[in-house]
Amino acid sequence: MARYVLRRLALLFPTLLGIITINFFIVQFAPGGPVDQMIATLTGQDADATNRIAGARTGAPTESALVETRFAGAQGLDPELIAAIEKQFGFDQPIHLRYLKMIGDYLTFDLGNSYYQDRPVVDLIIERLPVSISLGLWSMLIIYAISIPLGVAKAVRDGTRFDAWTSGLIFVGYAVPGFLFAVFLIVLFAGGSYLDLFPLKGLTSSNFETLSPAGKVADYFWHLALPVTALTIGGFATLTMLTKNSFLDEIAKQYVLTARAMGLNERRVLYGHVFRNAMLIVIAGFPAALVGILFTGALLIEVMFSLDGLGLLGFEAVLRRDYPIMFGTLFCFTFVGLAMTLIGDIVYTLVDPRIDFERREA
């Protein structure tokens, strides 16, 4: 196992470098960069209009096309001012020098400064991380707490009315996106059109610091109630069906028939023998599922509930073309995702010692 982990660690950084490189060059040739947006702002033009001009040409826009677009939208601006704007954002250097500088900075975990917030990207990520962790961790705990017992119950009662009714509810939960359910919760419980029981934005109240310790805990969960519920509804369906199918697959195996033939009661057979084997794939998938909730599933939820997490930070950076934040969050997401995938493999071997990745690779 140690050799397998070392090989995976050796592949982690080339994979990370490849992902960052591909995204860097794709973004560089996309229209409507920070220089274009700044010029559009100074000339009173809509940034989308600048994008449409640059994107009107067929194919990917070239450097010369973007320069033409810049100056077409900057009529009346001093060329020295335009040069100063390009220097401010680092676009006075050739693309390969900008790429090499970024990679060199990332090797020392220097993710640069935000174009518009004038703060280190690392500080912004650390500041927003608790919000994303709160959403992801509590959602995953609730999803697992619901999905595993429900999946086991459906497997034990396979083909019954209980299985049919719960399957209908699960399919509805699977079909309805989490953000759409969030709209329903806001309209119904957050002062939209009916009740006003929960706050619409933020993770804490404005008077959070003056509350007692018990009051702070209550206020924290009061703000989390709706966004966590929206994430849970959108995430428990897949895990429930995975648990059920894994349980049914184990029940059909020979060792279960042998245990029953030996006179063991059904509860001991199911929870003493079947449960551990059936839960292998579910438990091992927890790290990857947590990453999915943290960095992708919570994006729209953070936007809708105005939660200052990593998802909202990345979303705002894309809208404003704040490249340091875009690449910084991508770097962190990719690094954590690759690391959690490796942790998932390690957890798999700890739960089931029969699994040997080194032998499989050989």
Side-chain angles (χ1 to χ4, degrees), residues 79-101:
E80 292 184 0
L81 176 59
I82 297 175
I85 294 173
E86 292 179 340
K87 185 175 181 180
Q88 175 187 349
F89 292 114
F91 283 84
D92 57 329
Q93 299 291 327
I95 186 172
H96 67 281
L97 292 181
R98 300 202 303 269
Y99 169 74
L100 292 176
K101 182 181 183 304

Side-chain angles (χ1 to χ4, degrees), residues 148-232:
I148 292 178
L150 181 59
V152 172
K154 286 176 62 61
V156 173
R157 298 171 177 82
D158 184 43
T160 64
R161 288 186 177 180
F162 172 82
D163 183 40
W165 280 103
T166 53
S167 293
L169 294 176
I170 287 171
F171 290 142
V172 170
Y174 183 79
V176 178
F179 74 89
L180 190 59
F181 193 77
V183 173
F184 170 77
L185 293 176
I186 290 172
V187 171
L188 192 59
F189 297 112
S193 300
Y194 298 94
L195 304 176
D196 190 7
L197 302 178
F198 295 94
L200 182 59
K201 59 186 296 185
L203 197 59
T204 56
S205 300
S206 57
N207 63 336
F208 181 78
E209 296 299 331
T210 63
L211 299 175
S212 63
K216 289 182 178 180
V217 173
D219 183 74
Y220 169 74
F221 284 107
W222 182 48
H223 283 77
L224 274 180
L226 294 187
V228 167
T229 300
L231 281 173
T232 301

Side-chain angles (χ1 to χ4, degrees), residues 348-361:
Y348 220 136
T349 60
L350 293 176
V351 174
D352 188 357
R354 297 172 299 176
I355 297 175
D356 189 348
F357 288 106
E358 292 186 1
R359 185 176 301 175
R360 288 189 176 188
E361 287 189 348

